[in-house]
Each structure stands twice: as C-alpha cells, then as structure tokens.
Amino acid sequence: MMTIATKQYEALTDETAIALARSLYPFPEGAELVCREIGDGNLNYVFQIKDPKSGKGLIIKQALPYAKVVGESWPLTLKRAVIEANALQKHGEFAPGLVPVVYATDEELAITLMEDLSHLTIAREGLIQGEAYPKLSEDIGEYLARTLFHTSDFALHPFEKKRLAAEYSNPELCKITEDLIFTDPFFNNDTNDYEPELQSVVEAIWNNAPLKLEAAKLKFSFLTEAEALLHGDLHTGSIFASESETKVIDPEFAFYGPIGFDVGLFLANLMVQSITRQGEERQIVLSHTEKTWDVFSARFTQLWEQEGIEAFKETAGYKEFVLEKIFRDTLGFAGCELIRRTIGLAHVKDLDGIEDAEQRIRLKKQTLQIGEALILKRAELTSIGALTGLLEELQP
Ligand code: SR1
Ligand code: MG
C-alpha cells in the first residue's frame, strides 16, 4: 500500500483524478483514461477511472469537507477518509476477499485509491430489481463474524484492543448516527422527513414512552459499549454484489461499538426489502435474514472455540450469554434503523421508490410497526425464526 506525496486539500475534478490515477497505477503507456463520478452516497465523491482498451481500472474516493446530502452548511471531518482506508485494511486482514483492496491513501487530499468493483452492483439497487444474490447472506455472515470477533477482547490483547479503539475514535460520524438513528426519529426534530399521511403514526412514536425508554437504552449501548471495530454503516448500499461475489465498502463510520449494531443494520435493510416483496420473492430475502444470523453465530462460535483468548471462554454459559446479548442488541438496533429509514433523514429507495402512494404508505406503516416491535420485544424474540415469523405475518 502506497502513501501519496501530499499537497493541500482540493476537491478532485475528472482531470485531476485521471492525472492522480495515472501517476499511481500501472496503466499501459499512452492509455486514454476515462473518468466517471459514480458516487450516489450521502457524503463523498467516487471517481471511476478506466482504460477502456485494457479494461484496467480503479476507484478514487474523496471525502468532502461537508455532507454532500445536505450541502456546505453541514461541515464534516476529512479524517473519516483515513478511518475508512484503515478500516478497509484492518477488516481485510480478517475477511480477505470480502472488502476491496486499497492501493494508496492520502490524508491531506482525503482520498483512497482502491480496487475497481464496477463489475458488481450495489446490493440495494440489485435487490430492488429483484436480484436474489445467492451468496449475500453467507458472505455477510462470514464478514461480520470474522471482523467483529477478531477485533474484540475475545481475540485481542487488551492493550492492542484499546490502542485500536483509540485509533478508530470517530466522534463526528458517531454523532450523525446518534442523532439520525437513535434520537431524532423519536422526537419532533427538523431532520425528520415523512409524508403527511404518516403524521398520526409518527406522533404516536413521539408519545410512546415505553418505546422511547428502550430507544434511550439502545442509544446508551451505542454510546458506551466498545466491543469491536464496527463497519458502522452496514446497509445494503454499503455492499457491492453479484451472483458469485460480495464486497463490503464505505466503512467511514467505523469505530469501537456494540457488535449487534453492524448485524442489526444489515438485517434491518434486508427487512425493508422483504417488506416490499411478496410470496417466493419475499422468502428469498427472509432466508437471507435467517442465514446471515446462522452463519454469523456459527462462525463466531467456531472462532471463539478455536482462537479465543478469554480466560472464561470455556466457562459454561458464557459464550451463550455473549451471543444472546448480541442477538438482543441486533434486534433493537435493527428496530431503530427501520424507524429512521422510514421517517428520519436518509431514506431508502426500497420504500421511497414505490410509486403507488397508497402502497408506499401502507408498507412504511408496516416498517414502523416491525421497528417498534423489535425495539420493545427484543428480549422476547429469542430466535431468528421468531423475527422472520413477524415479517411473514405481514400482508403483502
Ligand atoms: C448525513 S449522512 C446520512 C446517512 O448516510 C450514511 O450512509 C449514514 O447511514 C448516515 O446516517
Ligand atoms: Mg456510505
């Protein structure tokens, strides 16, 4: 991995991105490179630079000093580019093949040069088009178990774990999550965004004292429980996929947090997709939901038994206690994500893209209903089958 000779921050253009790519990547002599800005996320620019003749290409991702989704009025640290590049490499140590290869980084320019994944599709887009992605849940279950186990106290010396927790201190990006997922949707806040037809259900959330108490507890966990190096934003828009490949991208929200947050965010985004599907198509996504947890918990168990360093690792009931805690957190965090993706800031195309207004509102109400149930009943839902059972009961 290379470090680029730095200069002062400036936003890349197609021309400067091409020049940078040419200086850092072995494109054929005289190659006529083409550049496209392909970023459709909320925060960054993503340039794809390609030599159409040889088919060789790479990605340059550049953080902007503000949140693209809102504009310059929302300043945002450029340090997130370093966090992202380092997290890609750290997670790549444990889940090789499931994250893109990083070629070079530059802290001043806030850029990362990485493997071109343009032969793959963003999983959210593909799922909306009806793709089944047969490897998705197995790969993400593996990714979650390997990255989270290996960066936790169950695998690391406490000095190394705390060194990493300090390295990945990411207060500004965490604050976005604290506000957008855990706080704002539960109050009458300006960042919320919902159709007038949802006004009464939204107000019912703001007035639901038991729900708010549980949301507060989940926020407290997110704020305080430094269990493992999380991806921090593992929704289906942070995953590239095909029939045979899965790559997790965009860990700029990485920090030391509760393991169930990564698992819960991914499952919530699968749940949104399952709510929009019917019949056999819905079953495919529900199977992914179950398999993600099954693969995650089986691999986590295996790593615990074979590679765990915790003195209590063989104490009867301890491993089960840890996995039950992760599962309960997973459900609660998933519930908060479902509510925020429906009425908070940064919606998802799965729901907002439904053109029939009546159907869209009906499915959004179902999403909110499942979100609330997961938060309130997370201690009673003790198996992944109990979760998918809730989704199976929904009227298509
Ligand atoms: C202002 S950022 C909005 C959302 O986009 C990111 O992908 C995170 O999910 C964040 O909450
Ligand atoms: Mg992102």
Side-chain angles (χ1 to χ4, degrees):
M1 218 266 310
M2 212 178 316
T3 305
I4 303 162
T6 57
K7 54 177 188 165
Q8 247 192 345
Y9 181 86
E10 63 183 55
L12 292 177
T13 60
D14 286 6
E15 291 69 36
T16 53
I18 286 179
L20 192 62
R22 208 185 283 284
S23 69
L24 289 163
Y25 189 78
F27 285 110
E29 190 74 22
E32 289 192 15
L33 302 181
V34 287
C35 177
R36 285 192 308 145
E37 203 285 302
I38 56 168
D40 67 350
N42 295 317
L43 301 177
N44 309 294
Y45 281 134
V46 181
F47 297 90
Q48 182 203 32
I49 293 117
K50 206 161 185 147
D51 169 22
K53 221 167 165 186
S54 67
K56 285 186 168 188
L58 57 75
I59 294 294
I60 302 181
K61 179 166 176 179
Q62 184 174 43
L64 295 170
Y66 53 86
K68 196 170 93 184
V69 66
V70 175
E72 293 186 33
S73 62
W74 187 338
L76 208 52
T77 177
L78 292 174
K79 194 190 161 212
R80 67 188 195 274
V82 179
I83 296 251
E84 172 169 341
N86 290 347
L88 279 176
Q89 291 169 90
K90 178 52 74 183
H91 285 161
E93 283 175 30
F94 307 118
L98 294 173
V99 298
V101 176
V102 174
Y103 300 139
T105 61
D106 181 84
E107 191 165 347
E108 283 300 312
L109 292 174
I111 59 170
T112 307
L113 271 73
M114 63 188 117
E115 184 183 359
D116 182 15
L117 300 174
S118 59
H119 61 294
L120 306 176
T121 310
I122 287 290
R124 186 185 305 287
E125 303 295 330
L127 288 166
I128 291 170
Q129 300 305 318
E131 292 288 342
Y133 292 134
K135 290 207 68 214
L136 183 66
S137 41
E138 193 185 327
D139 285 347
I140 297 298
E142 282 285 338
Y143 166 86
L144 288 165
R146 289 175 183 279
T147 58
L148 297 170
F149 177 83
H150 283 293
T151 57
S152 75
D153 284 297
F154 305 123
L156 293 177
H157 187 282
F159 293 173
E160 173 62 0
K161 188 269 180 134
K162 288 174 183 71
R163 189 193 68 72
L164 286 174
E167 180 186 335
Y168 287 94
S169 165
N170 199 356
E172 283 190 44
L173 281 280
C174 285
K175 175 79 165 57
I176 292 178
T177 303
E178 288 148 24
D179 291 344
L180 297 189
I181 298 188
F182 292 107
T183 311
D184 297 354
F186 298 94
F187 294 89
N188 185 0
N189 195 294
D190 283 351
T191 57
N192 291 328
D193 174 17
Y194 55 87
E195 288 97 333
E197 294 90 328
L198 293 173
Q199 187 66 34
S200 60
V201 280
V202 170
E203 282 180 16
I205 289 174
W206 297 341
N207 293 320
N208 187 336
L211 181 71
K212 289 173 80 163
L213 173 59
E214 295 310 313
K217 290 182 195 170
L218 288 158
K219 180 179 177 184
F220 185 52
S221 296
F222 183 84
L223 286 164
T224 57
E225 292 174 2
E227 293 175 351
L229 178 61
L230 307 189
H231 175 285
D233 193 26
L234 190 60
H235 57 87
T236 47
S238 297
I239 298 167
F240 268 115
S242 72
E243 287 267 301
S244 57
E245 264 185 283
T246 312
K247 303 267 185 189
V248 177
I249 59 166
D250 268 6
E252 68 200 302
F253 284 73
F255 81 112
Y256 260 77
I259 289 174
F261 186 75
D262 269 2
V263 188
L265 235 65
F266 178 64
L267 293 192
N269 283 269
L270 284 184
M271 284 183 237
V272 171
Q273 179 52 214
S274 73
I275 288 169
T276 68
R277 292 184 175 206
Q278 301 179 15
E280 184 46 33
E281 295 295 305
R282 175 178 284 179
Q283 282 310 321
I284 290 171
V285 181
L286 292 181
S287 301
H288 275 318
T289 308
E290 293 190 0
K291 195 164 180 189
T292 302
W293 177 260
D294 290 344
V295 171
F296 165 77
S297 53
R299 177 66 70 210
F300 195 91
T301 298
Q302 188 199 41
L303 291 169
W304 175 293
E305 285 164 0
Q306 294 178 354
E307 298 181 42
I309 60 160
E310 168 56 52
F312 286 99
K313 81 172 196 179
E314 277 163 26
T315 299
Y318 185 44
K319 183 181 68 220
E320 290 72 18
F321 164 83
V322 169
L323 278 166
E324 281 163 22
K325 191 245 182 227
I326 295 172
F327 187 66
R328 208 168 44 248
D329 289 353
T330 292
L331 299 186
F333 293 137
C336 294
E337 168 75 343
L338 288 175
I339 292 176
R340 116 42 202 258
R341 291 294 186 188
T342 315
I343 64 170
L345 190 92
H347 284 197
V348 287
K349 219 198 248 181
D350 314 52
L351 290 171
D352 276 12
I354 300 169
E355 280 175 17
D356 179 330
E358 209 174 297
Q359 173 78 340
R360 188 175 63 247
I361 296 298
R362 204 172 60 77
L363 297 184
K364 285 192 175 186
K365 284 183 180 169
Q366 290 187 350
T367 310
L368 293 173
Q369 178 196 324
I370 296 292
E372 286 182 41
L374 295 187
I375 294 171
L376 287 169
K377 296 189 184 151
R378 63 190 190 283
E380 294 155 46
L381 297 164
T382 52
S383 70
I384 192 69
L387 164 68
T388 49
L390 285 182
L391 291 150
E392 267 160 358
E393 282 167 19
L394 294 173
Q395 287 296 315

